[in-house]
Amino acid sequence: MASTSTTAPLRIRLLTFDAYNTLFKPKGSLSAQYAQEAARFGIHVTKNAVSQNFGHAYKKQLDRAPFYGLQLGMTPREWWEELVYTTFLGAGANKQDLDPIFGRLFDSLYTRFMTAEGYATFPDVDKTLAELKRRGFQMGVISNSDERVLSVIKSLNLDQHFDFVLPSCLAGYEKPALEIFDKALQIANVSPQNALHVGDDAEKDFQGARDAGWYSVLLERSKLSYQDSAPALVQDAPSPVQIPNTIMSLQELCTILGSPSSLSSTQQQPKAVSSNP
């Protein structure tokens, strides 16, 4: 039997995107937001102290209670509450000062990161999604996150572009698990060979999707300065085109994909797999 050509024609019908650092990012510094909010309640810590301690506390919390502690009976909110409390203590907050006001402080932070108050979209997002939607693609979000990603996407007015949003806490699996990609296929009613996922994590997004039989593209935003104006949106694409392994801006998808029709790919044809026995 002949091997599959690396430029075999394909028909992409479904495009999915990671959320955090793909579609949106914290407004300014996340650590600065923590420090500023704490100051409103009389807790004074520096953004550098928060930054230095958040990563350590986050890893420790993941090791102790992976996947938001769901298998331990925790809720995502409880998981984050423990993490934020540990972060502030590690950043130098006095326990006697922190304890009486922490409930209100945490409520304020938790709510902030449910909305556009805490996040901003990248400059290439809205026009690109609108154009891809106009061209007829089904589109969704697959995110390793709690349910707040639903309200964040709505608050940023991104929900108009998507047919579904699939947070890992509701899917019951996290990327790179095959099952979360299969759930997206079930929602969209497409085959993995007709799906392409875009995200910024090489293991969870790019390789996870590939292992699930999808096409995938790694978004490497760090190579592009977002202090500059976003490049003009390309309306038309030549055919055939090629799907690369990496892009620096979502706007490149408009050139790469054209419309839901036959394309050529430089990627090896993914192997169709399923989480079902």
Side-chain angles (χ1 to χ4, degrees):
M1 180 180 294
S3 61
T4 304
S5 170
T6 58
T7 58
L10 62 140
R11 185 176 178 86
I12 300 297
R13 296 183 174 89
L14 172 66
L15 301 175
T16 63
F17 300 84
D18 174 47
Y20 189 80
N21 282 338
T22 295
L23 300 175
F24 56 81
K25 60 181 179 179
K27 281 186 175 177
S29 163
L30 185 147
S31 299
Q33 291 194 61
Y34 270 53
Q36 291 165 5
E37 198 66 25
R40 291 182 56 239
F41 292 87
I43 303 298
H44 298 286
V45 293
T46 67
K47 67 177 183 179
N48 287 338
V50 172
S51 180
Q52 290 169 4
N53 284 274
F54 181 86
H56 175 72
Y58 184 82
K59 183 179 185 304
K60 187 175 180 180
Q61 185 76 333
L62 279 178
D63 291 341
R64 188 189 72 80
F67 199 7
Y68 301 112
L70 295 178
Q71 294 184 346
L72 301 178
M74 299 176 70
T75 65
R77 182 186 175 92
E78 291 169 341
W79 191 91
W80 280 107
E81 189 169 14
E82 287 187 359
L83 171 59
V84 173
Y85 182 76
T86 302
T87 297
F88 279 125
L89 287 181
N94 184 286
K95 189 176 187 301
Q96 290 183 335
D97 295 332
L98 181 63
D99 285 355
I101 58 85
F102 180 70
R104 289 179 291 134
L105 169 57
F106 177 73
D107 284 344
S108 181
L109 278 172
Y110 197 79
T111 301
R112 172 191 286 261
F113 289 105
M114 291 177 67
T115 69
E117 182 182 5
Y119 295 106
T121 57
F122 288 98
D124 60 347
V125 169
D126 282 300
K127 287 184 178 180
T128 300
L129 294 180
E131 176 62 17
L132 293 172
K133 190 73 172 178
R134 184 191 71 80
R135 296 185 188 185
F137 292 101
Q138 289 189 71
M139 296 200 295
V141 174
I142 305 176
S143 173
N144 282 1
S145 61
D146 60 56
E147 65 275 5
R148 285 180 297 168
V149 70
L150 298 167
S151 61
V152 172
I153 286 174
K154 184 173 183 179
S155 181
L156 292 170
N157 295 317
L158 296 178
D159 57 317
Q160 61 183 313
H161 304 301
F162 295 114
D163 299 291
F164 65 89
V165 177
L166 186 60
S168 60
C169 72
L170 299 182
Y173 301 93
E174 290 185 304
K175 296 175 296 184
L178 163 68
E179 290 86 353
I180 194 169
F181 290 101
D182 275 0
K183 281 184 177 289
L185 295 177
Q186 292 168 10
I187 293 170
N189 192 29
V190 301
S191 300
Q193 296 92 339
N194 303 128
L196 184 146
H197 179 71
V198 182
D200 70 305
D201 191 292
E203 176 188 359
K204 297 173 183 177
D205 291 307
F206 182 79
Q207 194 58 47
R210 294 288 295 162
D211 289 345
W214 295 41
Y215 288 92
S216 60
V217 175
L218 181 66
L219 178 62
E220 296 186 315
R221 289 195 179 281
S222 61
K223 294 184 178 180
L224 183 67
S225 172
Y226 282 89
Q227 299 302 316
D228 301 325
S229 299
L233 183 67
V234 177
Q235 296 293 335
D236 297 309
S239 181
V241 295
Q242 296 179 328
I243 299 179
N245 288 328
T246 63
I247 58 175
M248 291 188 295
S249 167
L250 290 184
Q251 289 183 340
E252 294 178 54
L253 293 173
C254 294
T255 301
I256 293 165
L257 294 174
S259 60
S261 59
S262 294
L263 306 172
S264 295
S265 171
T266 59
Q267 297 184 6
Q268 184 178 358
Q269 183 74 23
K271 180 181 179 181
V273 293
S274 173
S275 61
N276 298 322

